Amino acid sequence: MNILVTGSAGFIGFHTIQGLLKEGVYVTGVDNLNDYYDVNLKKARLDYLEQFTHEQECASKYKFIQMDISDTQAVTTLFNNNKFDVVINLAAQAGVRYSITNPHAYVEANLVGFVNILEGCRIQSINHLIYASSSSVYGMNTNIPFSVDDAVDYPVSLYAATKKSNELLAHTYSHLYRIPVTGLRFFTVYGPWGRPDMAYYSFTEKIIRGEPIDIYNNGKMQRDFTYIDDIVEAILKIKNVPPPETEMVGTSLKTPYAVYNIGNNSPIKLEQFVGAIENALGKQAIKNYLPMQLGDVPITYADVSPLKERFGFSPNTKIDVGIKKFVDWYISYKKN
């Protein structure tokens, strides 16, 4: 099996490639190494992957190509020069708050780039396209927990709007060209090698330095934190099971398309989350309580029953366990 992973130097892509290589498949990773956050971390992930392939004796099964998926010609050439069985699209401009001040970056990466990937899949008649969506598509949804059958028509950030657009584009391509497509709505992914723009990363950094951390919505926030290993396990299980022709809810359309929530099904209060970091560090945080930020939501909570029914799996890593692994990695990484 030959698999394309976009966003391969990113947090989820980096871990996903390791899981794929352990299974013995061939992997092509692409990433543009943009500077949204520390490029050195992305390069360190790539260096680690290179070392990993030698340790696993699978260097011949992995190659990395630096390219931007919003470059139409580059993506066309990529698909013309390779025959992929499965495409896992994890490339995206991430970040809710950054989207408010940098909208064009999201249009290029999340819309133009995604259409380029869809076109490549169409031309090559890919066996299965898996793409990353986000819990942010639920916006201010008041139905708890969030179900994939809930309406997601009212995003509250541009980032969320682009992810909702991805779902619409993916469904259209799946319907028109019979491409089996699975969308994954990730819920607040965390763990070793994570993104510095995420709260758990900056909290850890600031607590170590003795600097105050900002607690938004005066601490009245809950997130369905999902450990990276659970995310990877879900991707690995799903990749070999393309969705069958399924009647879309409320329509007569039968399309090989599916969407799943990938979350821990257990929202954690922000105070409890900070407490897990404090316990792992053995140090108390200095807390600065602030109002809700623009584009943010008070709670995320994943209904994962369709995932469990279909694949017999649901994320289950406890927050104390996951945070301890992250903190241990962070301390080790910063020492090197």
Side-chain angles (χ1 to χ4, degrees):
M1 183 178 285
N2 190 14
I3 298 180
L4 171 65
V5 178
T6 69
S8 62
F11 173 37
I12 300 175
F14 160 77
H15 283 280
T16 298
I17 287 175
Q18 291 175 68
L20 290 168
L21 290 172
K22 286 178 182 177
E23 290 190 346
V25 303
Y26 288 84
V27 181
T28 298
V30 302
D31 201 291
N32 66 356
L33 298 178
N34 69 30
D35 61 358
Y36 167 62
Y37 62 79
D38 186 9
V39 176
N40 289 324
L41 175 56
K42 297 179 181 182
K43 291 179 177 177
R45 291 178 185 140
L46 292 178
D47 290 342
Y48 184 93
L49 276 177
E50 184 176 350
Q51 177 185 342
F52 175 85
T53 61
H54 288 290
E55 291 174 353
Q56 298 288 319
E57 298 182 348
C58 59
S60 63
K61 292 186 174 182
Y62 168 71
K63 64 179 177 181
F64 170 72
I65 301 171
Q66 184 172 345
M67 60 166 284
D68 193 323
I69 64 167
S70 66
D71 183 336
T72 303
Q73 186 55 56
V75 174
T76 300
T77 300
L78 174 69
F79 277 90
N80 285 341
N81 292 344
N82 298 272
K83 180 63 180 85
F84 300 116
D85 300 296
V86 174
V87 173
I88 302 174
N89 185 64
L90 302 173
Q93 177 58 61
V96 169
R97 286 180 279 279
Y98 188 72
S99 71
I100 294 171
T101 54
N102 297 272
H104 292 96
Y106 292 77
V107 172
E108 287 297 312
N110 300 4
L111 299 181
V112 175
F114 190 55
V115 169
N116 287 340
I117 295 298
L118 288 169
E119 273 292 286
C121 292
R122 175 185 70 83
I123 292 167
Q124 230 181 64
S125 298
I126 293 296
N127 295 338
H128 192 188
L129 166 63
I130 299 169
Y131 71 93
S133 185
S134 167
S135 62
S136 67
V137 301
Y138 290 106
M140 301 294 282
N141 183 32
T142 55
N143 294 329
I144 301 297
F146 298 166
S147 166
V148 292
D149 293 328
D150 290 342
V152 288
D153 300 323
Y154 305 103
V156 295
S157 70
L158 181 67
Y159 170 70
T162 62
K163 287 299 185 179
K164 168 63 175 175
S165 299
N166 284 171
E167 295 187 0
L168 293 172
L169 289 164
H171 179 269
T172 301
Y173 267 75
S174 179
H175 171 66
L176 289 176
Y177 307 114
R178 318 320 294 173
I179 303 169
V181 178
T182 302
L184 306 180
R185 292 175 179 169
F186 295 142
F187 281 68
T188 317
V189 188
Y190 74 100
W193 295 94
R195 284 169 29 204
D197 63 312
M198 296 294 285
Y200 67 91
Y201 197 113
S202 63
F203 285 175
T204 300
E205 205 162 43
K206 289 181 178 180
I207 292 170
I208 288 174
R209 294 176 180 171
E211 299 173 1
I213 62 172
D214 291 336
I215 307 289
Y216 290 98
N217 200 29
N218 296 305
K220 298 175 182 178
M221 305 274 276
Q222 295 183 66
R223 288 291 180 270
D224 205 341
F225 293 101
T226 313
Y227 189 63
I228 184 61
D229 287 0
D230 290 328
I231 295 289
V232 172
E233 185 171 351
I235 292 172
L236 296 181
K237 287 181 180 294
I238 289 167
K239 79 174 190 311
N240 294 328
V241 188
E245 295 265 345
T246 305
E247 190 169 296
M248 299 292 101
V249 175
T251 79
S252 59
L253 292 177
K254 287 191 175 181
T255 304
Y257 180 83
V259 174
Y260 296 100
N261 288 331
I262 313 294
N264 220 47
N265 189 231
S266 178
I268 300 295
K269 291 181 179 178
L270 194 54
E271 292 281 5
Q272 183 181 347
F273 182 65
V274 172
I277 299 173
E278 290 174 324
N279 290 338
L281 288 172
K283 187 175 182 179
Q284 293 295 302
I286 304 168
K287 300 168 187 174
N288 180 32
Y289 291 95
L290 296 169
M292 178 89 87
Q293 281 190 306
L294 188 65
D296 220 338
V297 297
I299 184 172
T300 62
Y301 185 177
D303 174 4
V304 295
S305 53
L307 179 74
K308 192 169 185 178
E309 289 168 11
R310 176 75 169 152
F311 300 98
F313 166 77
S314 60
N316 57 17
T317 302
K318 300 297 184 185
I319 196 71
D320 290 339
V321 173
I323 285 295
K324 179 66 166 60
K325 290 181 179 180
F326 166 75
V327 168
D328 288 347
W329 166 81
Y330 177 88
I331 292 171
S332 174
Y333 176 72
K334 290 297 181 178
K335 282 181 179 177
N336 297 330

